[in-house]
Amino acid sequence: MPTFEVHGKCYAVDEDGFLEEPTLWNEDVAKDFAESEAIADLSPDHWKVINYIRNYYLQFGIAPMIRKVCKETGFKLNEIYKLFPSGPAKGACKLAGLPKPTGCV
Amino acid sequence: MADGSNGKPKTELLDQLEKGPWPSFVKEIKSACETSDAPKDLLGQLELSYKEKKGHWKHGGLVGVLGYGGGVIGRYSDIPEQFPKVAHFHTMRINHPAGWFYTSDALRTICDIWERHGSGLTNMHGSTGDIILLGTTTDQLEPTFQELANAGFDLGGSGSDLRTPSCCVGQARCEWACYDTMKLCYDLTMNYQDELHRPAFAYKFKIKMAGCPNDCVASIARADCSVIGTWKDDIQVDEGEVAKYAAGGLDIQKEVCSLCPSKCMEWDGKKLAIENHECVRCMHCINVMPKALRPGKERGAVVLLGAKAPIMQGALLSSVLIPFVPADEIEETLKELFTRIWEFWDEYGRSRERVGELIQRVGMSAFLEGIGLDPAPEMVSAPRDNPYIYFQNVEGGDK
């Protein structure tokens, strides 16, 4: 099992760097993972997206569809990519501690 | 896994596929071993898969390049200890030039880049149309992408986005092409770069363009939106050439007229008569006598919608949405149409629901109303045979 080491901490992750155990997530996890997704600092805008995705996941057990993320956070898709350069699935979901999105990518 | 005598994997089962007249993929992969270590482990893992009759790639994989949400398909071996060189074996989809025309310069550029950064193995081409660069590691994705971008290539689509559009060779070298498929393919690709690189849809959406109903890109079966060339006026007939076909031994009555699906042709031994208003433009007569018959002069395309593979609700072929668009209005019409379709799909589509399934679920009439199109007889092969007809409540009408 790969691990992701940062700031002296060690996380069990899958090959793509997604947290293996979503229940272990807290805000520090998001901060620790940010750099690996080309994000220098987590702004309030970042947190708005991360918290929305996290709460949706806790409520429904899946990641929200991208158009829901845009609608509910008020960010357009290109603004989401400005916040999370690797995109909502790879970037935002990873920081929110969700399991890896699957399907025909 | 080097248990063969010469440092190469032992591949008894795969070796059998080097025999026979068809070009052998095993030979190709073996020759790729000269430029990279990955093909060796790929052969090893494939041989094991042949023995055990099961795949050895892990489920899923989410990798990519910054700024894009698609274009790279992550793959990991499930036995990386045994085959370390294919522990990461990601695929990059590279947008192909319309019609797959290349200069050897362009291909050499791609090969050089891929030899430096990847396994050297490719797929020319993936079934959607992209150049497939087969097998590299996560840390090589950005550098490969940078080099490709500098050389003028971009990634194709993957995920819930607009996939790479593709087209038949069209007017580049086919006398039947009813519109410029390559130009339309390129223009749409450029126009929808955002939709292609950043998945925003409920599911994937594919566009394919065929110049005539022969449909050489199989658009009707493999694209959510199929744009198929056709014409409105009469088939152009060259009497002299028809006579030459007859003189050359072609039994025009048997091979052409009697096979015409709408039986709108007659051959009296001297003159070919076509009832064009009965013709369904199936292309058969033109295919049989290409020198004598040509599509009409008033050309354009049919726009069809909804094709998909079986998952979830069964396979679908595209069905007619717009019976005829004049050639010079196709692009404009499609852009307007996509805006409306995507808006409707965005609003009502479920997660992982293709457009074809959305139409099945909400009904064609609701869909047409949603995108602002009027129903037309060309949209159905037969009217419904059950009486469960929904009527809308109209103000002042009977309840």
Side-chain angles (χ1 to χ4, degrees):
Chain A
M1 185 60 57
T3 54
F4 175 64
E5 284 183 44
V6 62
H7 308 137
K9 281 179 266 183
C10 200
Y11 296 101
V13 294
D14 69 8
E15 300 87 347
D16 295 317
F18 282 77
L19 203 58
E20 272 295 330
E21 191 47 70
T23 53
L24 295 179
W25 186 87
N26 57 43
E27 294 199 350
D28 287 337
V29 176
K31 286 176 194 158
D32 288 343
F33 277 52
E35 210 172 315
S36 73
E37 296 304 320
I39 301 163
D41 272 311
L42 290 177
S43 67
D45 286 350
H46 285 103
W47 283 112
K48 196 173 170 187
V49 177
I50 293 173
N51 287 330
Y52 172 71
I53 293 178
R54 182 74 195 170
N55 290 333
Y56 188 98
Y57 170 69
L58 291 177
Q59 196 180 348
F60 298 106
I62 52 164
M65 283 166 77
I66 179 60
R67 69 162 198 269
K68 261 198 102 58
V69 178
C70 291
K71 218 177 192 173
E72 299 294 325
T73 62
F75 294 120
K76 295 202 175 86
L77 190 59
N78 62 351
E79 294 171 320
I80 302 245
Y81 274 86
K82 268 185 203 150
L83 294 169
F84 302 92
S86 48
K90 185 167 172 289
C93 285
K94 184 186 284 183
L95 265 55
L98 268 62
K100 173 162 57 192
T102 55
C104 190
V105 297
Chain B
M1 191 173 82
D3 54 6
S5 51
N6 49 3
K8 285 185 179 160
K10 221 170 147 186
T11 52
E12 289 168 334
L13 293 173
L14 287 173
D15 289 347
Q16 295 183 33
L17 297 178
E18 290 187 82
K19 298 171 191 159
W22 296 100
S24 162
F25 74 94
V26 177
K27 268 185 199 160
E28 295 294 329
I29 300 179
K30 282 187 175 173
S31 76
C33 291
E34 289 165 24
T35 53
S36 162
D37 294 331
K40 198 175 76 180
D41 275 5
L42 181 69
L43 279 173
Q45 182 174 312
L46 187 60
E47 176 77 9
L48 190 65
S49 286
Y50 271 50
K51 272 191 194 126
E52 297 176 350
K53 297 182 180 172
K54 66 170 191 180
H56 276 292
W57 300 110
K58 270 193 198 172
H59 183 74
L62 197 64
V63 289
V65 298
L66 293 182
Y68 289 9
V72 186
I73 295 92
R75 270 298 169 269
Y76 301 97
S77 168
D78 71 354
I79 35 175
E81 319 75 34
Q82 221 173 327
F83 302 106
K85 297 292 181 189
V86 292
H88 296 216
F89 203 70
H90 311 321
T91 293
M92 298 184 83
R93 290 188 181 154
I94 312 300
N95 206 322
H96 63 291
W100 299 283
F101 287 97
Y102 292 98
T103 60
S104 76
D105 255 358
L107 290 173
R108 280 169 207 278
T109 305
I110 293 175
C111 290
D112 287 346
I113 294 172
W114 195 232
E115 272 188 19
R116 278 198 292 280
H117 295 292
S119 71
L121 296 172
T122 67
N123 197 351
M124 298 297 269
H125 296 82
S127 46
T128 295
D130 305 271
I131 302 163
I132 306 283
L133 301 182
L134 213 51
T136 191
T137 54
T138 306
D139 57 348
Q140 292 295 325
L141 293 174
E142 286 290 346
T144 314
F145 176 56
Q146 284 311 322
E147 280 204 48
L148 284 165
N150 292 338
F153 288 95
D154 199 355
L155 296 186
S158 74
S160 294
D161 61 7
L162 173 67
R163 299 298 183 84
T164 309
S166 65
C167 64
C168 69
V169 297
Q171 293 175 347
R173 51 170 302 143
C174 175
E175 63 268 49
W176 300 329
C178 293
Y179 69 96
D180 192 342
T181 55
M182 291 171 65
K183 180 174 189 303
L184 182 66
C185 182
Y186 178 80
D187 288 349
L188 290 179
T189 305
M190 295 311 275
N191 192 63
Y192 293 116
Q193 284 289 296
D194 269 358
E195 285 76 3
L196 206 155
H197 293 309
R198 297 179 165 178
F201 299 153
Y203 206 7
K204 63 184 105 173
F205 190 89
K206 301 181 181 182
I207 311 170
K208 287 193 196 298
M209 286 137 274
C212 80
N214 282 329
D215 199 5
C216 295
V217 277
S219 70
I220 202 167
R222 311 188 73 160
D224 296 82
C225 179
S226 328
V227 186
I228 300 180
T230 188
W231 62 97
K232 235 182 168 176
D233 53 350
D234 294 352
I235 291 175
Q236 304 181 60
V237 185
D238 183 329
E239 301 279 359
E241 291 291 341
V242 176
K244 277 190 202 165
Y245 274 110
L250 178 72
D251 186 342
I252 293 179
Q253 182 55 41
K254 184 165 165 249
E255 302 292 337
V256 181
C257 299
S258 68
L259 294 177
C260 172
S262 54
K263 298 279 178 288
C264 68
M265 307 180 80
E266 242 177 86
W267 170 247
D268 61 6
K270 279 188 196 127
K271 197 172 155 44
L272 186 70
I274 307 175
E275 292 288 343
N276 277 284
H277 62 275
E278 295 288 339
C279 170
V280 293
R281 286 123 180 100
C282 78
M283 293 297 293
H284 174 71
C285 58
I286 298 175
N287 288 342
V288 177
M289 302 192 289
K291 287 181 181 167
L293 304 178
R294 275 170 185 265
K297 287 178 179 161
E298 193 185 346
R299 298 181 178 189
V302 195
V303 180
L304 306 94
L305 200 70
K308 56 178 274 298
I311 292 170
M312 303 287 293
Q313 307 285 336
L316 291 174
L317 296 177
S318 288
S319 53
V320 174
L321 193 65
I322 307 179
F324 187 81
V325 190
D328 54 358
E329 292 172 23
I330 298 175
E331 188 175 340
E332 202 184 325
T333 307
L334 285 177
K335 283 180 184 168
E336 176 63 31
L337 189 65
F338 290 151
T339 307
R340 297 184 193 184
I341 292 174
W342 291 342
E343 209 166 280
F344 187 83
W345 191 28
D346 236 24
E347 189 65 30
Y348 299 103
R350 290 177 177 161
S351 181
R352 300 260 163 86
E353 184 175 52
R354 295 285 284 268
V355 167
E357 286 168 341
L358 171 67
I359 296 173
Q360 282 189 318
R361 180 166 60 84
V362 303
M364 192 55 155
S365 58
F367 180 75
L368 288 177
E369 202 179 309
I371 65 167
L373 272 188
D374 290 330
E378 291 92 337
M379 291 175 182
V380 294
S381 56
R384 68 192 305 155
D385 57 7
N386 69 54
Y388 303 111
I389 298 168
Y390 177 79
F391 291 97
Q392 260 175 340
N393 263 334
V394 185
E395 214 178 324
D398 284 336
K399 288 280 158 88

